[in-house]
Amino acid sequence: MDLNAYESGGAPLLGEPLPIELANATYAVRGRLVDGLTTVEHAAAWLRDNRARFATALDDDALLALDEADLRAIRSLRDAARTLIDAAARGTDAPAEAVGELNRHVRRAPSWRELATGPGPATLTRSAAAPVPAALGEIAQATVDLVTGPERELLRACQAPGCVLYFLKNHPRREWSGPDCGNRARAARHYERTRQS
C-alpha cells in the first residue's frame, strides 16, 4: 500500500512542538471529543505528516510496518503527554501514572548523537530501537523538556468554546489555539453582549 494514500493523520497540525501536536490528536468537532488516532493508518499518517520534525528517520517502510502494538504505544504516549501538558498549563502536579507512562517511553528508545562525515560537520541521531519506537522516545523526551523547561510557563489550554487543544503562548496577544477558535470566542462574547442588552 502507498503511504501517501493514507488520509490525514489525526488532528489539525498547528505548528506547535511535537508533544503538543501529539496531545492535540484528541480534539473537538462541534463540541464532541474526537480521537484522531483510532487506526494504524491514522497513526502512520500522523507520523508521516510530522516526520520532517523528527531527528529519527521515519521512512515509508517503517511507517507501513506499523501495527496494533505501535498504535497502542502512540495512543498511550499521547494520553500521557496530554495529561502532563494539561497539568503544566493549569499549574497543578502531574499525576504519577502519566509520569510513569511517559518515562516508559523515554526508556524504551534511548538515543545518542554521533558526528557524521561529509562536506561539513553534522550530527546524526541514533537509537538501538526501531524507527517508530525511537520517534516516540523523541516525543517523550521532548515532553519531559517541555513540562520541566522554560516553555512550561507558556503552555495554555485554549479557552475558546468547545476547544480542547493546547498551545504555547508565544505572542503576548495570543489567547487561542488558532484563528478559528479566536473567531468562535469573539462571536460567543458578541452573542452574550447582545443577548444581555
Side-chain angles (χ1 to χ4, degrees), residues 53-94:
R53 300 177 66 191
F54 287 98
T56 300
L58 286 172
D59 62 17
D60 286 356
D61 290 338
L63 297 179
L64 288 168
L66 250 70
D67 60 19
E68 290 295 324
D70 293 319
L71 176 61
R72 284 190 301 277
I74 195 170
R75 288 175 59 140
S76 74
L77 177 57
R78 185 261 325 262
D79 295 345
R82 188 168 179 80
T83 299
L84 295 168
I85 288 168
D86 184 67
R90 297 186 192 295
T92 61
D93 290 337

Side-chain angles (χ1 to χ4, degrees), residues 3 11 44 77 81 87 138 143 166 175 197:
L3 185 64
L77 177 57
E138 256 186 77
T143 304
Y166 297 94
E175 295 298 325
S197 311

Side-chain angles (χ1 to χ4, degrees), residues 134-151:
L136 297 183
E138 256 186 77
I139 296 173
Q141 186 62 64
T143 304
V144 170
D145 296 340
L146 179 66
V147 300
T148 62
E151 288 184 323

